[in-house]
Amino acid sequence: MRVQLFVEILLGILLPFVARYGFHANYDRHPSAGASFALSLASVVSAMLLSRRIGGFPGTRTFIYVLPTFSMCFGVAMMAALVLRLDYNRTVLLASFTLSVAVAYALAYLGARGAVRRFHVVPGGRTRFLDDIEGAEWVQMAQPTVPTGREVMIVADLHHDLESAWERMLAQAAINGVPVYHVKQIRELLTGRVQIEHLSENSFGSLMPNLAYRKFKRLIDLGASLLVLPVLIVTMGLIALSIRLDSRGPVFFRQQRMGYRGRPFTMVKFRTMVPRSDDMDKDARRASAITRADDDRVTRIGRFLRRTRLDELPQILNILAGDMSWIGPRPEAMDLSTWYEAEIPFYSYRHIVRPGITGWAQVNQGHVADLAEINMKLQYDFFYVKNFSAWLDVLITMRTVVVMLSGFGSK
């Protein structure tokens, strides 16, 4: 991190600054020099810190997060300069942004060359659950001796009754600065899923997620909804007209969903399928609530809306009403939720946070259709609840943009 930050400051900040103002900037002649340097420095440092924080989550070791991260930080810096009426040089800031992104891509490429991480596994306990995890090399240890080499990491089932020699080795490894992970912890870090064995405590030592952030998140939801609603009203009008011209039926699809703290609410979205019959029995309603691959009920405009996730836009109204959030576990239809709660232990725990338009499961898995996939989705939802934070929401926001452009997981 220190090396990366040094290279970024040297090439991304000092180089364009010196090229424009020289080694001895005359602030009387160049009043914009100070603000330009401060904005560039704040943007690069913020982008590096943000990259480090979200880089701790699974699936973030890729080039696609470099540009969004730096764009976000430089964009915020320019907005701050506009509000504070700072006199800065746009050419310097643009050059700093371009060089910083180029350096970040180069550093990411060098880091990706050793992307496969090697873990030394202590025998005994539930370490067999690691074998199916991709992107890592598992070295089975034969002797209770601290491994040597660069970037050594050890994994053990710390709940297992290990022999004294192995316990002494783990203690010595920790003293030497070698990371020692519990098998369940490393599985969560590498897969982005929490195994549903029991309701384990989260990082705050409680089954309750971050209460302070939950209140702040609600303010963000309201502010963002009020900000984008006037901008999206024209887009939503065009979508409504397209739906009306494409097929018979209402523009909006309304359905009772299970919401925050297990309270039902009426979710609204653009209709993407032909209207279903109202005289279905319970089993038929449950079956119709699941969208299959190449489902023939999806309309022509509906396929586009589902692929780009634009059918979710009317849920801004649900956010304003307090029933939903921009980011959180997807709310399920009442019939499906009742079925899942009867079949899957602890399913209702996902209702401890507000459901969202997008979420951790959506950007990692997409739509699901059977109990096995639902169980996997629930593991992603539990990971989100356990790691409930602004950093994870920022990462999900970035991934959502990629999902919208690629159509990942749509049905």
Side-chain angles (χ1 to χ4, degrees), residues 58-60 65 360 363-364 395-404:
T60 58
Y65 302 106
W360 185 241
V363 299
N364 282 283
L395 175 59
I396 293 173
T397 301
M398 292 181 182
R399 287 196 179 183
T400 299
V401 175
V402 177
V403 167
M404 293 178 65

Side-chain angles (χ1 to χ4, degrees), residues 75-148:
V76 170
M78 294 185 67
M79 290 178 61
L82 183 63
V83 172
L84 299 175
R85 298 182 180 276
L86 298 179
D87 182 16
Y88 68 95
N89 189 294
R90 292 178 177 81
T91 303
V92 171
L93 208 63
L94 178 61
S96 179
F97 169 75
T98 304
L99 289 173
S100 299
V101 170
V103 170
Y105 273 119
L107 294 174
Y109 171 76
L110 293 176
R113 295 171 62 184
V116 177
R117 287 158 286 185
R118 177 180 298 176
F119 296 92
H120 292 76
V121 182
V122 174
R126 299 181 299 172
T127 55
R128 66 181 183 279
F129 295 128
L130 300 172
D131 296 337
D132 61 340
I133 300 177
E134 299 178 354
E137 180 182 351
W138 309 105
V139 179
Q140 298 296 323
M141 300 180 64
Q143 300 294 329
T145 305
V146 178
T148 58

Side-chain angles (χ1 to χ4, degrees), residues 1 39 104 208 398:
M1 178 65 180
L39 291 173
M208 297 295 290
M398 292 181 182

Side-chain angles (χ1 to χ4, degrees), residues 84-262:
L84 299 175
R85 298 182 180 276
L86 298 179
D87 182 16
Y88 68 95
N89 189 294
R90 292 178 177 81
T91 303
V92 171
L93 208 63
L94 178 61
S96 179
F97 169 75
T98 304
L99 289 173
S100 299
V101 170
V103 170
Y105 273 119
L107 294 174
Y109 171 76
L110 293 176
R113 295 171 62 184
V116 177
R117 287 158 286 185
R118 177 180 298 176
F119 296 92
H120 292 76
V121 182
V122 174
R126 299 181 299 172
T127 55
R128 66 181 183 279
F129 295 128
L130 300 172
D131 296 337
D132 61 340
I133 300 177
E134 299 178 354
E137 180 182 351
W138 309 105
V139 179
Q140 298 296 323
M141 300 180 64
Q143 300 294 329
T145 305
V146 178
T148 58
R150 296 184 58 187
E151 299 183 358
V152 173
M153 293 175 282
I154 301 176
V155 182
D157 185 353
L158 300 180
H159 294 168
H160 184 67
D161 187 15
L162 297 172
E163 295 180 3
S164 298
W166 288 105
E167 291 183 343
R168 283 194 291 269
M169 184 276 296
L170 292 176
Q172 187 60 49
I175 292 174
N176 294 349
V178 175
V180 178
Y181 296 99
H182 179 45
V183 60
K184 182 177 180 181
Q185 177 190 21
I186 204 67
R187 184 177 179 87
E188 292 178 8
L189 290 173
L190 293 179
T191 64
R193 304 192 305 267
V194 172
Q195 291 293 104
I196 309 171
E197 300 168 352
H198 54 82
L199 291 179
S200 60
E201 294 180 350
N202 59 30
S203 56
F204 295 90
S206 167
L207 289 179
M208 297 295 290
N210 187 342
L211 296 178
Y213 176 61
R214 190 167 64 183
K215 295 178 180 179
F216 180 65
K217 179 181 172 72
R218 178 61 186 152
L219 295 177
I220 296 177
D221 288 336
L222 286 173
S225 299
L226 293 174
L227 184 65
V228 303
L229 187 58
V231 179
L232 294 177
I233 198 70
V234 175
T235 301
M236 294 173 67
L238 293 174
I239 293 174
L241 179 61
S242 300
I243 294 173
R244 178 69 72 180
L245 296 176
D246 182 58
S247 62
R248 292 183 178 181
V251 170
F252 297 105
F253 172 73
R254 294 177 176 86
Q255 188 181 55
Q256 281 282 301
R257 298 284 178 105
M258 185 66 77
Y260 180 47
R261 292 179 173 171

Side-chain angles (χ1 to χ4, degrees), residues 50 54 72 327 389-399:
L50 179 59
I54 67 175
M72 180 187 303
I327 299 173
S389 65
W391 307 110
L392 185 53
D393 280 351
V394 169
L395 175 59
I396 293 173
T397 301
M398 292 181 182
R399 287 196 179 183

